[in-house]
Amino acid sequence: MGKVLQKEAFGLAAKDNSGVLSPFSFTRRETGEKDVRFKVLFCGICHSDLHMVKNEWGMSTYPLVPGHEIVGVVTEVGAKVTKFKTGEKVGVGCLVSSCGSCDSCTEGMENYCPKSIQTYGFPYYDNTITYGGYSDHMVCEEGFVIRIPDNLPLDAAAPLLCAGITVYSPMKYHGLDKPGMHIGVVGLGGLGHVGVKFAKAMGTKVTVISTSEKKRDEAINRLGADAFLVSRDPKQIKDAMGTMDGIIDTVSATHSLLPLLGLLKHKGKLVMVGAPEKPLELPVMPLIFERKMVMGSMIGGIKETQEMIDMAGKHNITADIELISADYVNTAMERLEKADVRYRFVIDVANTLKPNPNL
Amino acid sequence: MGSVEAGEKKALGWAARDPSGVLSPYSYTLRSTGADDVYIKVICCGICHTDIHQIKNDLGMSNYPMVPGHEVVGEVLEVGSDVSKFTVGDVVGVGVVVGCCGSCKPCSSELEQYCNKRIWSYNDVYTDGKPTQGGFADTMIVNQKFVVKIPEGMAVEQAAPLLCAGVTVYSPLSHFGLMASGLKGGILGLGGVGHMGVKIAKAMGHHVTVISSSDKKKEEAIEHLGADDYVVSSDPAEMQRLADSLDYIIDTVPVFHPLDPYLACLKLDGKLILMGVINTPLQFVTPLVILGRKVISGSFIGSIKETEEVLAFCKEKGLTSTIETVKIDELNIAFERLRKNDVRYRFVVDVAGSNLVEEAATTTN
C-alpha cells in the first residue's frame, strides 16, 4: 500500500502550559478499514482538560487538542466496519485504542489496559499524537466508538462519555446498583449530578453529601435525590451513621474521609472517583473493625460505556449543561477553574468552530 | 446430656493491675456454668501483641485487674444442660470474642467479630455485669457458641496461635476471595501475625513476598518461613521491582506508615488489607487507588466459622509454627522480650504445666 494519506483538520489547541487555547490546524489519518470518521457536533469540557492544557499532571505534550466527551455524526466508515454507517449519531470518550489481548481488554475493561491510548495527548501507533474533540472531526477505531440513542440530545449527552461512565462504572462493578440500596453521592458537580441521576434510575435511595447547605434544594428538587446531608454538620452525619451501602466520592479537593466512612454500613464501600492532589488521611479503625473499604475507579470500559449510554437513553438521563461557542473556550476554562458552571460546559463545535484564520 | 449447675467457681490467673504492664497472681470467681456454657481447664494460651497493648492501656480502654490471653486451648471439665457440641474431655479453643448480640447483620452472617455488641475474651463486661478475664488462668467459662473444637492430633501449643494470629490472617484471604492457588501475596511486617501470614499464604499455594523495614529478617523469612521473596521497604529499587505485581498485601504494621509505596505494589484490583490497630490516621493519594481500581480495607480477627476453618486447614496442610513455650511465672519476662521483638515467633504459656498460686495475702485491690 502506498503512503498513508492525511486529512486536514482544524481545532483549538494549547501551545504551552499557559492554559490558553487558540486556533490550530493539523491532519488526521485517512480512514482505515476499521475506522469510523465523524463530524464533531459537540464536545464537553472536563476538569481533566483543564489539568492537561496546563500540564498539571506533568505529562502533557504540545500542541494539545483536548476533548474526550465527543459526539457527532458519522461521515465515513472503513471497509471492515460493521457496526456503524454514515449518518448515525456516535460518540467517543476517553479512550481510542488498547492492546485488545490483556485480561482487562478481554473483560471489556480497556480503561485498565496498560497500553490503552487516550483520546488526546497520547502517542498513537502511527507515531502521531492523538488530538481530541475540540476539533471539526474525529477518526477512531470502530471498537472505541459509542452509538448514541436517538432520543438523547447530543449536546447534553456528550458529558456522559466521561462524567457519566465515571460514576456508572463503579456502581455496576461494585454491585451498588440494586433497587432499595442506599447510595451516597459526595460532591454535586459535573460528576456528582449525573451520579445522582444514574443512581436514581437504578432504583436506589440517593443521599447527596455536600459541604454547602445551599445545594440542598438543587439536589432534592431538581435532581431527584431523596436526602441531603451537610458534611460539616455533626448532627446530620450522626443521624445517617451506618445507613449507606456505598458512597461515590466525586470531590477533587482535600477532604475528610472519617464522616463518610461513618455513614457506611458494615462492609460498605467508599469509591473515590475524584482525585485530590494532596494525600488524604485514612482512619484505620473503621476499616479494621467494620471491614469497610476505600477504593478507586477510573472511567469505564467500552462495553459498559455503551450500556451506560443505552440506560441514559431509556431513562432520558443527560447532563445539565451550559452550551458555549468555540471562541468562548478560554473564558469557560477560567470559570471552570473557579467552579463557576452548572454543571458542564459543552462546546457547540459544528456551529461555532472556525478554521484557523492565520492560514 | 444433663449436668448439674454448680455455684460460682474460683479461678487462679495472672493479672495486670495498672498500666505498668506487670502481671502477678490473681484470684477471682467465674460465673456459674450456665445452660449454654462450657467450663474449661486451660492447657495453654498464646501471647499476642494485643495483650501488651491491653495490659499497658495503649488504646485507652483498659480496666484492671485484667487477666489477658485470648489464644486459649483447654480441656472441657463441665458442660451446661443445653450444650450439644462438646463433651467432658474434649480439647477445645477460645479466641478473641466470647459474646455478641446474635441478631445484627454481622451476627446473622456468621461474622460475630464485627458485631457492635461483641464481648472480648478479656477486658470487657459480660452480660452478667462482671469483667471478662482471659486465658492466662487455670480455668474459663465460655458460651458454647464461642468455643471451637481442636482437631484431633493437633498439638495444643500449635493450635493456640491459630485462635488469634492464624484466623486473623485467614479471614481476609477467605473473605476477599484470595485463597486460589498461584496468587502473589505481600506480607508487610514480620511479627506474630506476619509470620503466620507467610505460612498460611504459602500453604494456599501463593507466591509470597515479605516486605520489611530492614533486611535483618531476610534469612528468617526465606530460609525458615518459606517466603519466596524479600524486599526492604526503604530501598526504592527493590520496591520498584514489586510495582504492579501483587494481588494483595496483608499489612500488619501497627504504627504510622504512608500507604503509597505499598499501593504501588498492587496490581489491578489489588487489595491492601490493614490489620495494625492504631489511632493515628494513615495517608494515601487517591490516584493510586483510582488508576488501578485498588482497594484499601481492613480485617479484624475472624469469625467462629473461620476459626474452625483455619484449624482444619492447618491440620490438613500440616502447618506448624515456631513456638517458644514458657511457664506462667515467666510471663513478665516473655512480655518484655515480645516488646523487644525477641521471640521467634510466638510465645505460648504452658498453663497446665505451671504452678498457679493464689495472690499474695498482703496484696490489696
Side-chain angles (χ1 to χ4, degrees), chain B residues 169-180:
Chain B
V169 171
Y170 178 92
S171 175
L173 296 181
S174 171
H175 174 76
F176 289 108
L178 297 166
M179 287 178 62

Side-chain angles (χ1 to χ4, degrees), chain A residues 28-38 74 76-78 80-84 90-93 95-101 105 110 113 115-119 123-126 128 130-131 138-147 302 306:
Chain A
R28 291 200 186 274
R29 68 177 184 270
E30 185 59 82
T31 310
E33 58 185 12
K34 292 188 179 178
D35 282 340
V36 175
R37 185 176 300 272
F38 62 95
V74 176
E76 186 181 1
V77 298
K80 291 188 177 175
V81 170
T82 60
K83 293 194 286 183
F84 302 99
V90 294
V92 166
L95 299 178
V96 291
S97 192
S98 70
C99 81
S101 57
C105 288
E110 301 89 347
C113 170
K115 294 176 180 170
S116 61
I117 299 178
Q118 293 187 24
T119 301
Y124 198 68
Y125 307 113
D126 56 9
T128 61
T130 54
Y131 292 129
M138 284 286 294
V139 58
C140 185
E141 298 171 25
E142 174 184 31
F144 291 81
V145 178
I146 306 294
R147 181 185 312 279
I302 299 303
Q306 187 65 64

Side-chain angles (χ1 to χ4, degrees), chain A residues 7 29 84 115 136 155 159 165 168 191 216 229 250 263 276 281 295 299 310 316 339:
Chain A
K7 293 257 188 179
R29 68 177 184 270
F84 302 99
K115 294 176 180 170
D136 69 318
D155 53 355
I165 187 59
Y168 176 95
L191 297 182
R216 177 184 293 269
L229 295 176
T250 71
L263 295 171
E281 283 202 335
M295 50 193 62
I299 50 176
D310 290 340
N316 277 302

Side-chain angles (χ1 to χ4, degrees), chain A residues 95 97-117 125 144 298 301, chain B residues 267-269 291 293:
Chain A
L95 299 178
S97 192
S98 70
C99 81
S101 57
C102 70
D103 285 347
S104 296
C105 288
T106 55
E107 290 167 14
M109 287 294 189
E110 301 89 347
N111 44 324
Y112 295 112
C113 170
K115 294 176 180 170
S116 61
I117 299 178
Y125 307 113
F144 291 81
M298 178 183 68
Chain B
K267 60 169 72 162
L268 174 68
D269 291 322
L291 292 175
R293 200 166 56 190

Side-chain angles (χ1 to χ4, degrees), chain A residues 104 109 112 173 266-267 272 274 276 279-282 284-285 287-289 291-298, chain B residues 114 171 175 268-269 274-277 279 281-284 286 289-291 293-300:
Chain A
S104 296
M109 287 294 189
Y112 295 112
Y173 182 76
H266 167 78
K267 288 199 277 187
M272 317 292 297
L280 295 184
E281 283 202 335
L282 181 68
V284 169
M285 303 297 202
L287 307 191
I288 291 181
F289 288 119
R291 196 164 257 173
K292 295 175 180 180
M293 287 168 265
V294 177
M295 50 193 62
S297 185
M298 178 183 68
Chain B
Y114 294 111
S171 175
H175 174 76
L268 174 68
D269 291 322
L274 305 174
M275 294 184 175
V277 175
N279 282 321
L282 300 180
Q283 265 184 4
F284 73 106
T286 310
V289 294
I290 288 180
L291 292 175
R293 200 166 56 190
K294 299 172 186 181
V295 176
I296 308 170
S297 188
S299 190
F300 174 62

